[in-house]
Amino acid sequence: MDTRVADDPSERRRSAIVERVETLYCDLEFGAVREWKTKHPGARAIGYMPVYVPREIIHAAGMLPVGVLGGDLEIVKGDACFQSYICHIPRSTIELGMNGALDCLDGMIFPSICDVIRNLSGMWQILFPGKYVRYFDVPQNFSDAIGGEFYERELRGFIADLEGLSGGKVSDDALRRSIGLYNENRRRVEAMYALRAERPWVVPSSELYLIMRAGALLDVEAHSALLDEYLDAARASRRPPLDMARVALRGTFCEQPPYELVRTLERSGCYIVDDDWMMVQRWYKSDVDTAGDPVKALVGAFLHRSPACPSIYLAEGEKGAELVQCARDVKAEGVLFAAPSFCDPALLDQPMTQAAVARAGLPHTSFLYSESTGQFQVIREQAGTFADSIKLS
Ligand code: SF4
């Protein structure tokens, strides 16, 4: 720790928080979920894969939504189900399922993001026949009359499934309350992102990343309390700024980058001032309405307030526009395009988003990673050179 901040009480509070969230990140046995279930006898936990599911509905059914994000573990059984050259997350998720780590989950939701996840949902049904499994489809038509109608049916079907599982009703009031709690959580997340964009030296991306990852495991209220604690400590920080390049990171929306990769980017001289990891926690661009029909409110928020993401259809001319605007808003000096190895959605999007970034005059570079990447020297040199070129131009 910097000697100028070692005696800062906010640093001690921050260290304790970071230690907690790092423990959660490293725990591939889902201890936090098991603990939650012990405290809530009879309540269920439902896993979901990236990038987006309406966690509000799971919460309103009295269940714990749990982000399943694969992990860096040795793949033995996972390679029997998928080609070993594709992205890592489906194989590590199978491995987690087969080694019993996901036994604490009473069901799994596989959102519509790519063929790999679609196939994984089918495999899950075969591998775990006693467990609830849902392939969660989202519309790619954003008109209320077409995509909206389809999505409303999908959401009501999902609610009916959860009611069948729990034996209880998901009332509109419960759903409105859950929507309100997730709105509050998103506001805190956005406050943390805004603080990082303003003073990235007081909110290091490696810490922000762990706090976001904790949101995949903790109950929404516990995560909001954690965000409050962290924001308090970060706002009081006396850490000094460093001469680093401000960059936006894109391509990490599904398979999450390993923590050491985020640390490597920081050590290479990059302040990440925006990113697209853990998108489920930032999905809607503004609050979901808490008045009226809550299902229709979720439908409207998805259709009209979803962020640009490779899993969402955008016409070719629109690709990259949101990224360019975001880069301007957060004063990014360049863009780092990262993509999980063999990720079709990320790599198909990249040429179009890169072209938009280039037209806007923003420097950019790209690299591949996997959640099991262990060697970072090459990425460190590339990102370091990129940061130097920005600072020297
Ligand atoms: S990393 Fe890419 S290819 Fe792999 S499951 Fe996710 S979206 Fe699909």
Side-chain angles (χ1 to χ4, degrees), residues 1-9 11 237-242:
M1 189 187 293
D2 189 315
T3 50
R4 287 168 293 186
V5 295
D7 60 348
D8 183 342
E11 289 300 329
S237 172
R238 303 202 298 261
R239 288 183 186 186
L242 301 173

Side-chain angles (χ1 to χ4, degrees), residues 201-222:
W201 51 95
V202 304
V203 183
S205 289
S206 49
E207 294 182 4
L208 178 145
Y209 182 58
L210 291 176
I211 304 264
M212 294 293 278
R213 290 288 300 250
L217 298 170
L218 298 176
D219 172 69
V220 61
E221 288 168 280

Side-chain angles (χ1 to χ4, degrees), residues 87 89-90 113-117 253-255 340 342-346:
C87 59
I89 185 171
I113 174 169
C114 68
D115 289 347
V116 174
I117 299 284
F253 55 93
C254 181
E255 182 172 313
F342 254 92
C343 173
D344 279 353

Side-chain angles (χ1 to χ4, degrees), residues 27-330:
D27 179 13
L28 291 178
E29 294 293 323
F30 292 75
V33 177
R34 292 170 202 274
E35 209 175 296
W36 183 90
K37 288 187 83 169
T38 306
K39 282 189 191 148
H40 300 84
R44 290 172 171 78
I46 302 290
Y48 63 87
M49 292 206 66
V51 289
Y52 160 81
V53 297
R55 295 172 298 163
E56 296 86 345
I57 289 178
I58 303 172
H59 183 272
M63 303 179 188
L64 179 70
V66 179
V68 177
L69 305 163
D72 180 9
L73 71 166
E74 193 186 354
I75 308 295
V76 181
K77 296 164 186 141
D79 275 351
C81 300
F82 283 101
Q83 306 90 323
S84 56
Y85 56 82
I86 66 161
C87 59
H88 204 261
I89 185 171
R91 293 179 287 131
S92 58
T93 302
I94 293 254
E95 200 68 34
L96 288 169
M98 300 288 280
N99 74 15
L102 302 180
D103 288 356
C104 55
L105 301 181
D106 301 280
M108 275 289 282
I109 313 296
F110 295 90
S112 151
I113 174 169
C114 68
D115 289 347
V116 174
I117 299 284
R118 181 198 300 267
N119 293 343
L120 184 55
S121 75
M123 284 178 202
W124 213 263
Q125 289 176 35
I126 295 167
L127 290 170
F128 306 101
K131 296 270 182 165
Y132 168 67
V133 178
R134 185 176 181 102
Y135 177 69
F136 182 75
D137 219 347
V138 293
Q140 296 293 350
N141 173 305
F142 298 94
S143 90
D144 294 290
I146 301 172
E149 199 187 313
F150 163 80
Y151 192 47
E152 186 175 336
R153 261 204 319 270
E154 188 68 18
L155 292 190
R156 295 202 189 276
F158 183 34
I159 291 171
D161 274 7
L162 297 186
E163 287 175 339
L165 208 56
S166 71
K169 264 321 260 172
V170 177
S171 70
D172 281 0
D173 280 344
L175 199 39
R176 282 189 208 100
R177 179 175 173 273
S178 299
I179 289 172
L181 290 173
Y182 279 94
N183 281 343
E184 284 171 26
N185 184 261
R186 232 175 354 265
R187 273 184 234 139
R188 288 166 168 90
V189 166
E190 290 309 331
M192 182 170 62
Y193 270 73
L195 182 58
R196 180 182 64 167
E198 188 196 321
R199 288 188 283 155
W201 51 95
V202 304
V203 183
S205 289
S206 49
E207 294 182 4
L208 178 145
Y209 182 58
L210 291 176
I211 304 264
M212 294 293 278
R213 290 288 300 250
L217 298 170
L218 298 176
D219 172 69
V220 61
E221 288 168 280
H223 189 237
S224 290
L226 179 74
L227 282 158
D228 282 344
E229 248 185 279
Y230 182 81
L231 277 165
D232 266 6
R235 284 180 182 129
S237 172
R238 303 202 298 261
R239 288 183 186 186
L242 301 173
D243 188 25
M244 310 221 304
R246 299 171 61 94
V247 300
L249 178 72
R250 283 295 181 280
T252 59
F253 55 93
C254 181
E255 182 172 313
Q256 301 295 294
Y259 173 59
E260 269 311 311
L261 173 56
V262 180
R263 299 271 294 150
T264 296
L265 296 176
E266 288 180 320
R267 288 189 191 119
S268 70
C270 293
Y271 276 139
I272 300 170
V273 287
D274 196 68
D275 61 71
D276 61 353
W277 57 56
M278 300 302 300
M279 286 195 76
V280 67
Q281 292 175 46
R282 301 179 73 201
W283 192 264
Y284 312 116
K285 292 184 205 155
S286 56
D287 279 359
V288 180
D289 198 358
T290 49
D293 182 331
V295 175
K296 286 189 189 300
L298 287 168
V299 171
F302 182 85
L303 292 183
H304 307 301
R305 300 208 290 284
S306 286
C309 172
S311 61
I312 293 287
Y313 173 76
L314 280 179
E316 191 171 331
E318 297 167 16
K319 292 267 183 195
E322 198 169 298
L323 169 57
V324 168
Q325 188 54 52
C326 166
R328 288 188 178 129
D329 293 345
V330 298

